[in-house]
Amino acid sequence: MNRPKTWLLLSILAAWVISRFQGAINPYYYDILITIGINIILGVSLNLVTGYTGQFSLGHAGFMSVGAYASAMVTLSVGAHARGESLIFIGALLVGGLSAALAGLLVGGPSLRLKGDYLAIVTLGFAEIIRVVFENVEAVGAARGLSIPVHTTDFFWTFLSVALTIYVVVFLVHSTYGRGFLTVRDDEVAAEAMGINATKYKVLAFVVAAFFAGIAGGLYAHFKQFIHPEGFGYLRSVDIVVIVILGGMGNTPGVIIAAVLLTILPEGLRALGSWSALPEAIRPLIQNRMILYSLLLIALMLLRPQGLFSTGGRLTKWLKRGKGAAA
Amino acid sequence: MIQFLQQLINGLALGSIYALIALGYTMVYGVLKFINFAHGDIYMVGAFVGLYVTPWVWKVIPPGQDPSKFNWNTTAGGLVVMLISMVVCAVLGILIERLVYRPLRNRPRLTVLITAIGVSIFLENFGQYLFGADPKSFPDILPDRTIDIGDLSIFMNQIVVFVTTIVLLVALRYIVMKTRMGTAMRALSYNTTAASLMGINNDVIIAFTFGLGSALAAAAGILNAINYPSIDPLMGILPGIKAFVAAVLGGIGNLPGAVVGGLLLGVLETMVVGYISPMYRDAIAFAALIFILLFRPNGLFGKIEKEKV
Amino acid sequence: MSVSSALLEVDQCTVQFGGLKAVSELDLRIHEGELVGLIGPNGAGKTTIFNLITGVYQPTDGDIWFDGQSVVGHKPYQITARGIARTFQNIRLFSSLSVFDNVRAACNLHLKHGISHALWRGGAFAREEAEIAERVDGLLDIFHLSHLRNAECTSLPYGDQRRLEIVRALATRPKLLLLDEPAAGMNPTEKGELMRLIRFAQEKFQLAVLLVEHDMRVVMGICERIAVIDYGVKIAEGTPEAIRNDRKVIEAYLGE
Ligand SMILES: Nc1ncnc2c1ncn2[C@@H]1O[C@H](COP(=O)(O)OP(=O)(O)OP(=O)(O)O)[C@@H](O)[C@H]1O
Ligand SMILES: [Mg+2]
């Protein structure tokens, strides 16, 4: 048994063990924990596209919504069963992930011919079109949103997905095959001159990332039990982009830390914002997390474009050792 | 036929707004080769500045009593409001460029793009903090009435929007083609060294470009608010993106192209709303964008450039 | 259609940029194992010819045959897979990768196992990665870069970066190697060493080489045959001796 698979199994085991005690966790913190998990999946998967492959996408929430709706439809069409609930849930998540991956293929195929600003706008455009479609399809509740009768997302399923996402992204990238993603980011012309099919890598990154965004959407749908097209708009995509940029593009451990921080931060800000010692006027300023995010983004780009956690974390070193062992 | 004409007029009025915003995108792209994502939010700020200065302007120039009758005072007041808003936004645009974009010059485009997104989110959310999140109603700064020609009814304001846009375009054309600054701007978008031959500092030209673009966006914000008098801090997002689409449609960097693209998109959108379904109002701009980028990435009038290897 | 023994045959190719004919009705043949020089004044169209052969630019007119098949219309990565590799005049290494990884990435082309193995990480994957590492280290060794194996490629001196580009190109296992000014920015000692290395690699890997270089000592020193380009037109071709004494060449270089 080699190191990567051991790592995966141990994380899954840890998720299972912790999930045995999930009843003991205060519901408020439990809620935050699950949200952290979902955000890690979103951030780490987008990092494959934006960080490792260098393709700036502003439409990740669109793929999340596809996964959320597809998995919800599976659950709704099968109906509630006391038995086989887990199996149905796995099926729903997979359908969600695969539908999102398909959407990723359809969107990525044509749009990845574009670069930089244009790619950003086109992915944003596709995500908005997906949203408008959900808003107009009666079968999924249109603009009213969709309720999911079961609450199947729990600690185990969430962190199992987190572990799988990290495993796939990290160990894919850390292989000779996966170096292709990085070469496309660094220099597409040189990559092609080395026999690397840049388009294939870009689309692959897009599809894999969309798959996991779809899984995250499925988890989200079966956690909140209510989904709504507005919830997967442009700002949701920006949230995920902020996670990736704060963590450092192409730096998975950094992105994980950023996902944790940025999930807790709004809660902290909310608490701080209602602290009565503060002047009335600046409380709403603190409570609006987007003001802080945007300032953070700007400051980061001016001062530390490589992200907050870019150099030599322990995890990074560990990964480097793991890579050396594999090679 | 009447319905078609009606839609066409509505479309042109809407398209004028897009055209004014699109010009800012295109001009900034011309000199800096980047998409100023925050440009749509300047349009929003323009409308809010109008909202807040109107009472002050009205104290100095009292408007006419009957809002449906033409009145010189009201018109003059409206113009003053628009000018003030244009100046304020020009200053804001220059300030943003100075503080945020200038230090990032020659950095990777992605860095600049992300920063612009940051500025955009900041303006939207700080706007929510400053102005409140819920929509405000915009004062009638111009006399309004409908003109009926047969079955066709045209709002006076639509004509005002259209005419003002044309006046601004003529002014812009004069600035860009005839003044020294405009020539320097064109030289800079042609190439960076040509501009320094004009003897004008690149920083000054870029600041000027931001100021000019922001002023046009502010005018668009006011003009749109005259037609649809409900404004909120997030009102700039969609028109901003649509104007960007218009700029791309016309070939980014191409001034007349931006105007044609804006008008085209405005008409297209109104037609879709009128003849197909209002549900697809916002999707149509994106569909147009995707279509144009995939099949004519340099816009309707753009020329193709090949990367040198 | 063309039945020739040449490995590469450029047949009446023209490349036009707007009004500018960067390459004009070019004929060029390279045989297996041959070392051919391509020279010409600045802006003559040498790099454009490289871009033409490697599929970065498409010919406006004409045809290109490699190993008996036309490569016109193929994507650069497909042409590399056929056996043409290149270096870049303005060094284009993968800036975020280490020296080792730059070369490893170029082994991507000949991977037997794809994404599923990278994810499963079984024995076959480990064996192949080990093979690749061995090959990469072997190549780095030949070009005296082993000690820099784990360095950031951008931290390397100019000359080392140019040699790394050659190693990277060799990792794709080419039959024809195109070198665009590989000696630029090197000192005379380095240049001498580079000439020796090019010769060595040519023999060891049975390469045909097309070399663009401004340093006449390098070109005259190692090329068996030289083609001269001026304003996109081939004005002379022959042995170094013949080229040295060609009137047209001397005029093109001394200029008016
Ligand atoms: N993508 C392009 N678009 C327009 N013109 C181009 C392009 N690529 C090259 N050219 C032009 O083609 C001509 C030949 O350029 P090329 O780079 O091939 O010259 P070169 O012989 O390699 O010169 P040098 O010795 O300076 O490297 C030049 O005039 C150049 O400006
Ligand atoms: Mg050259």
Side-chain angles (χ1 to χ4, degrees):
Chain A
M1 192 86 132
N2 54 17
R3 200 206 294 260
K5 272 183 281 181
T6 317
W7 179 88
L8 181 64
L9 284 183
L10 283 180
S11 347
I12 294 174
L13 190 69
W16 184 79
V17 170
I18 297 174
S19 74
R20 296 298 94 190
F21 303 100
Q22 68 186 28
I25 306 172
N26 166 332
Y28 173 70
Y29 293 124
Y30 182 69
D31 206 285
I32 294 178
L33 270 178
I34 302 287
T35 312
I36 285 178
I38 291 174
N39 282 340
I40 291 178
I41 299 174
L42 291 168
V44 170
S45 60
L46 181 64
N47 193 29
L48 179 64
V49 173
T50 299
Y52 290 112
T53 320
Q55 308 300 309
F56 194 72
S57 164
L58 263 181
H60 215 47
F63 300 125
M64 184 188 177
S65 73
V66 171
Y69 274 97
S71 66
M73 288 316 282
V74 170
T75 303
L76 285 171
S77 61
V78 173
H81 291 272
R83 275 154 157 251
E85 196 184 48
S86 298
L87 269 181
I88 295 168
F89 186 47
I90 294 177
L93 284 183
L94 279 178
V95 169
L98 291 173
S99 314
L102 182 67
L105 187 67
L106 294 178
V107 171
S111 30
L112 287 163
R113 283 197 273 160
L114 302 165
K115 294 197 176 84
D117 313 17
Y118 284 99
L119 178 64
I121 302 264
V122 163
T123 46
L124 166 72
F126 270 115
E128 287 296 299
I129 288 178
I130 292 174
R131 186 175 63 79
V132 171
V133 168
F134 284 131
E135 254 168 22
N136 287 289
V137 174
E138 272 306 317
V140 296
R144 296 183 310 279
L146 187 63
S147 293
I148 296 101
V150 291
H151 184 105
T152 19
T153 298
D154 67 357
F155 189 91
F156 176 67
W157 291 117
T158 306
F159 282 85
L160 170 82
S161 310
V162 169
L164 271 175
T165 312
I166 296 174
Y167 177 88
V168 167
V169 170
V170 169
F171 292 108
L172 186 57
V173 166
H174 287 101
S175 66
T176 300
Y177 183 84
R179 294 288 100 174
F181 294 107
L182 307 182
T183 64
V184 170
R185 171 187 72 183
D186 283 357
D187 190 331
E188 214 176 307
V189 172
E192 291 251 329
M194 296 306 125
I196 291 163
N197 182 349
T199 313
K200 185 186 86 180
Y201 273 97
K202 288 196 254 181
V203 172
L204 180 66
F206 225 65
V207 169
V208 171
F211 175 81
F212 286 111
I215 299 274
L219 290 167
Y220 179 85
H222 293 80
F223 175 61
K224 293 285 176 195
Q225 294 184 261
F226 177 70
I227 51 178
H228 185 263
E230 284 287 333
F232 304 102
Y234 160 63
L235 287 176
R236 190 85 186 83
S237 293
V238 170
D239 269 353
I240 310 170
V241 168
V242 175
I243 291 177
V244 171
I245 290 165
L246 189 75
M249 288 192 265
N251 173 8
T252 300
V255 168
I256 296 169
I257 300 173
V260 176
L261 281 184
L262 288 177
T263 315
I264 300 173
L265 191 72
E267 306 299 324
L269 289 178
R270 200 172 300 153
L272 186 67
S274 48
W275 189 33
S276 52
L278 284 173
E280 193 73 49
I282 68 163
R283 278 196 232 159
L285 194 62
I286 291 172
Q287 279 181 328
N288 187 336
R289 77 198 149 94
M290 293 314 275
I291 294 179
L292 188 77
Y293 278 18
S294 57
L295 291 175
L296 210 59
L297 268 188
I298 298 168
L300 219 53
M301 288 301 105
L302 287 168
L303 307 171
R304 261 185 92 81
Q306 73 273 36
L308 274 187
F309 319 104
S310 57
T311 39
R314 281 240 308 284
L315 260 167
T316 320
K317 281 196 190 119
W318 183 84
L319 285 170
K320 284 213 171 114
R321 259 193 309 135
K323 176 183 74 188
Chain B
M1 189 60 203
I2 288 295
Q3 198 205 346
F4 179 80
L5 275 181
Q6 185 75 61
Q7 299 288 4
L8 190 66
I9 291 165
N10 295 345
L12 287 175
L14 180 65
S16 309
I17 305 286
Y18 293 158
L20 285 174
I21 310 175
L23 282 166
Y25 277 115
T26 266
M27 283 192 289
V28 167
Y29 190 89
V31 295
L32 281 183
K33 300 283 173 289
F34 100 99
I35 295 164
N36 180 12
F37 230 85
H39 189 59
D41 302 299
I42 301 281
Y43 155 93
M44 172 274 291
V45 174
F48 273 97
V49 172
L51 172 71
Y52 287 106
V53 300
T54 301
W56 297 90
V57 172
W58 278 353
K59 262 187 206 155
V60 183
I61 316 171
Q65 294 302 314
D66 184 353
S68 65
K69 283 217 175 65
F70 181 80
N71 177 304
W72 278 111
N73 263 4
T74 319
T75 311
L79 279 180
V80 170
V81 168
M82 191 159 102
L83 281 177
I84 294 178
S85 165
M86 286 171 76
V87 170
V88 171
C89 284
V91 172
L92 178 66
I94 291 171
L95 209 66
I96 292 174
E97 192 277 325
R98 179 69 196 84
L99 291 179
V100 185
Y101 298 145
R102 191 178 298 178
L104 291 175
R105 261 191 236 152
N106 305 323
R107 288 276 202 86
R109 288 173 59 163
L110 197 59
T111 311
V112 190
L113 174 69
I114 294 165
T115 312
I117 293 175
V119 173
S120 155
I121 300 173
F122 177 78
L123 289 176
E124 285 153 20
N125 288 278
F126 196 71
Q128 288 194 338
Y129 165 72
L130 216 56
F131 312 133
D134 30 66
K136 303 268 180 305
S137 88
F138 195 79
D140 295 319
I141 59 169
L142 285 182
D144 193 17
R145 66 198 169 97
T146 45
I147 303 165
D148 293 310
I149 309 169
D151 289 334
L152 199 63
S153 61
I154 304 172
F155 288 101
M156 190 64 194
N157 279 341
Q158 291 182 321
I159 298 179
V160 170
V161 168
F162 200 62
V163 170
T164 316
T165 304
I166 289 174
V167 170
L168 287 172
L169 289 180
V170 171
L172 178 72
R173 191 178 157 76
Y174 175 79
I175 293 175
V176 172
M177 303 306 284
K178 294 282 151 64
T179 64
R180 225 168 95 81
M181 193 55 101
T183 313
M185 230 172 92
R186 278 184 296 141
L188 183 57
S189 37
Y190 186 66
N191 88 35
T192 31
T193 41
S196 43
L197 295 179
M198 292 287 305
I200 301 180
N201 189 330
N202 280 1
D203 287 345
V204 178
I205 307 170
I206 291 169
F208 180 77
T209 310
F210 267 86
L212 199 58
S214 305
L216 291 178
I222 300 281
L223 290 173
N224 190 58
I226 292 173
N227 258 341
Y228 306 94
S230 161
I231 64 176
D232 69 272
L234 300 184
M235 68 185 266
I237 300 180
L238 270 178
I241 292 172
K242 288 178 187 170
F244 168 76
V245 176
V248 175
L249 213 58
I252 193 119
N254 178 335
L255 295 187
V259 177
V260 177
L263 294 178
L264 216 59
L265 190 65
V267 172
L268 187 68
E269 185 179 320
T270 355
M271 293 295 169
V272 167
V273 171
Y275 289 103
I276 303 174
S277 158
M279 292 299 228
Y280 294 102
R281 151 171 277 148
D282 299 333
I284 188 66
F286 288 111
L289 174 73
I290 288 164
F291 190 80
I292 197 84
L293 281 182
L294 296 182
F295 297 105
R296 268 199 77 89
N298 296 290
L300 296 178
F301 319 107
K303 54 183 184 305
I304 292 165
E305 280 174 19
K306 249 190 182 155
E307 188 192 1
K308 276 199 187 184
V309 174
Chain C
M1 64 154 237
S2 129
V3 193
S4 89
S5 57
L7 177 65
L8 176 81
E9 177 162 356
V10 179
D11 184 18
Q12 288 288 302
C13 274
T14 299
V15 178
Q16 190 137 10
F17 297 117
L20 174 83
K21 262 192 187 167
V23 177
S24 196
E25 296 171 9
L26 177 77
D27 279 318
L28 188 69
R29 286 176 176 209
I30 298 171
H31 297 276
E32 264 172 45
E34 208 180 7
L35 209 168
V36 180
L38 182 65
I39 62 172
N42 282 331
K46 305 176 296 290
T47 301
T48 307
I49 292 173
F50 274 24
N51 287 332
L52 171 73
I53 296 172
T54 53
V56 177
Y57 298 153
Q58 294 300 323
T60 326
D61 203 7
D63 209 341
I64 301 169
W65 297 76
F66 182 74
D67 227 0
Q69 282 174 301
S70 172
V71 292
V72 170
H74 289 187
K75 303 244 167 58
Y77 76 89
Q78 295 168 321
I79 293 175
T80 308
R82 288 276 193 81
I84 304 181
R86 72 178 289 183
T87 64
F88 293 92
Q89 180 176 358
N90 47 340
I91 302 174
R92 300 185 83 138
L93 290 167
F94 302 123
S95 53
S96 72
L97 300 187
S98 67
V99 168
F100 176 81
D101 269 357
N102 260 279
V103 186
R104 172 155 82 127
C107 297
N108 193 298
L109 180 60
H110 296 288
L111 277 176
K112 290 191 284 293
H113 305 299
I115 183 167
S116 52
H117 279 76
L119 289 178
W120 179 247
R121 306 229 150 200
F125 171 81
R127 274 192 299 281
E128 188 170 25
E129 293 284 316
E131 271 168 34
I132 288 173
E134 200 177 316
R135 256 190 74 213
V136 172
D137 284 329
L139 284 171
L140 287 174
D141 202 36
I142 296 176
F143 281 80
H144 312 311
L145 291 165
S146 296
H147 61 293
L148 297 167
R149 187 184 191 270
N150 296 318
E152 296 285 320
C153 70
T154 44
S155 70
L156 264 51
Y158 217 61
D160 287 345
Q161 292 197 14
R162 289 219 177 269
R163 272 184 292 140
L164 179 56
E165 273 223 347
I166 299 177
V167 176
R168 189 178 66 168
L170 286 175
T172 67
R173 295 190 178 145
K175 293 181 190 138
L176 170 63
L177 179 63
L178 312 179
L179 301 174
D180 201 344
E181 306 197 12
M186 290 186 175
N187 62 35
T189 337
E190 284 179 310
K191 280 182 184 168
E193 176 62 13
L194 180 75
M195 284 162 69
R196 202 188 60 72
L197 284 171
I198 293 175
R199 275 276 191 207
F200 178 79
Q202 183 204 4
E203 262 161 42
K204 182 169 164 71
F205 304 108
Q206 289 157 3
L207 287 174
V209 179
L210 181 61
L211 172 72
V212 167
E213 184 49 62
H214 279 298
D215 188 316
M216 284 307 141
R217 287 230 330 255
V218 174
V219 181
M220 298 290 171
I222 62 174
C223 293
E224 297 151 28
R225 185 157 58 87
I226 295 173
V228 189
I229 308 291
D230 193 22
Y231 292 110
V233 179
K234 187 167 81 179
I235 56 168
E237 184 167 358
T239 60
E241 256 333 281
I243 294 299
R244 216 191 303 261
N245 302 316
D246 191 298
R247 283 264 314 283
K248 275 200 214 148
V249 177
I250 296 168
E251 270 167 31
Y253 269 91
L254 298 178
E256 42 278 72

